[in-house]
Amino acid sequence: METVLSMPLPEAAVPMPRRRVLGAYLAEMRSECLRYLRAPGFILPMTLFSTVFYLMFGVLMNHGEASRYLLASYGAFGIIGPGLFGFGVSLAIERDGGLLTLKRALPMPPGAYLLGKMVMAMIAATIVMVLLLVIGVFLAHVVLSWRQMLGLLLTAAFGVLPFCALGMFVGTLLKGQGAPGLLNLVYLPMAFLSGLWLPLSMLPDVLRQIAPIWPSYHLNQLTQAAVGLNDGPLLGHVLALLGFAAVFLWLAARRLRRYG
């Protein structure tokens, strides 16, 4: 009994200094960005898909104000891709390969892995919007103020977040090989039904009425407002995107607990 009482008690775990925690987050962000920059077969289609469409329909078939509308709608289309595919496909592949389990075992903040992917998606979405702005201003001759350009860039950085959450949720459902197919089945119909390819006025009444159920519809309303084509209230669209992000993040977090 005396021997047991005389044994030294284990020292309390010393919390990691804030400087080291910040360094861990920054290192994970840097590694995620470098990893995708070194995989051009993945990053280039994700960032150039919408620009090719805009070159065909917004520049080669330039019809005045239509180029302004398409700049905003294809901008929304391009913002969605990095969130869905940058999060969904990579998470599914890394989960299959055991990288997610390894990351959990490393002495790093638990949110650093997901935050790194989120920052990568925000950077990629902003790059997409910069490319579209260059094409729109210099080739399609769309006249935009600096305030409107800044509004599009801020919308890109914010608007990708709900689709990061959606991609994260899909990435927890499927294996790596099946994720791209399902994400395309979500991405392309959702874009069409939200008015990103054709104005909603050209779609049947029933499709116009259900358009607000898609997060891409609310993102499109924000990009249209940024270029001066939507002067309605924007708070509802912002709250809708935040709501979509919260719901899919919660669903994805529940799924990820199974792999802990």
Side-chain angles (χ1 to χ4, degrees):
M1 183 69 176
E2 293 179 358
T3 304
V4 174
L5 294 176
S6 63
M7 292 177 63
L9 295 174
E11 295 183 3
V14 180
M16 185 182 294
R18 291 183 179 180
R19 185 174 180 180
R20 291 187 61 188
V21 173
L22 178 60
Y25 277 106
L26 293 176
E28 189 65 22
M29 293 177 199
R30 179 177 178 274
S31 66
E32 281 293 323
C33 293
L34 287 176
R35 190 153 61 92
Y36 286 100
L37 288 174
R38 291 169 179 170
F42 180 79
I43 195 71
L44 287 179
M46 187 170 62
T47 54
L48 297 179
F49 196 26
S50 59
T51 58
V52 172
F53 274 95
Y54 188 59
L55 277 171
M56 290 189 297
F57 298 105
V59 177
L60 298 180
M61 300 177 63
N62 191 332
H63 296 291
E65 280 300 295
S67 293
R68 179 183 294 269
Y69 176 87
L70 291 174
L71 173 61
S73 62
Y74 282 130
F77 183 63
I79 291 168
I80 296 170
L84 282 183
F85 293 95
F87 239 97
V89 175
S90 62
L91 179 62
I93 293 174
E94 290 162 8
R95 182 169 57 82
D96 285 351
L99 181 60
L100 189 58
T101 304
L102 175 63
K103 291 280 188 180
R104 287 174 176 269
L106 293 176
M108 59 184 292
Y113 170 74
L114 296 178
L115 182 61
K117 287 189 176 298
M118 187 181 301
V119 170
M120 181 276 299
M122 294 173 71
I123 292 174
T126 304
I127 291 173
V128 170
M129 189 57 71
V130 169
L131 291 174
L132 286 169
L133 278 171
V134 170
I135 295 171
V137 171
F138 292 103
L139 297 181
H141 306 293
V142 178
V143 179
L144 295 173
S145 67
W146 286 107
R147 184 176 181 179
Q148 290 173 323
M149 294 181 191
L150 180 60
L152 282 173
L153 295 177
L154 292 176
T155 301
F158 163 74
V160 74
L161 299 180
F163 303 96
C164 288
L166 176 57
M168 180 180 170
F169 175 61
V170 174
T172 64
L173 295 175
L174 299 176
K175 293 186 178 294
Q177 294 180 344
L182 179 59
L183 285 170
N184 273 311
L185 288 176
V186 173
Y187 185 30
L188 301 179
M190 181 173 63
F192 174 76
L193 295 172
S194 302
L196 303 189
W197 292 353
L198 294 173
L200 287 175
S201 59
M202 300 177 65
L203 300 181
D205 289 342
V206 63
L207 297 182
R208 290 202 300 269
Q209 292 172 2
I210 66 171
I213 71 174
W214 311 110
S216 47
Y217 165 82
H218 299 281
L219 177 60
N220 188 36
Q221 297 305 304
L222 295 180
T223 56
Q224 296 294 338
V227 300
L229 296 180
N230 179 13
D231 56 0
L234 302 180
L235 180 60
H237 301 299
V238 173
L239 293 177
L241 289 175
L242 290 174
F244 279 110
V247 169
F248 284 114
L249 184 62
W250 176 72
L251 292 173
R254 290 190 63 187
R255 294 280 306 174
L256 282 174
R257 290 194 191 101
R258 302 183 182 185
Y259 307 108

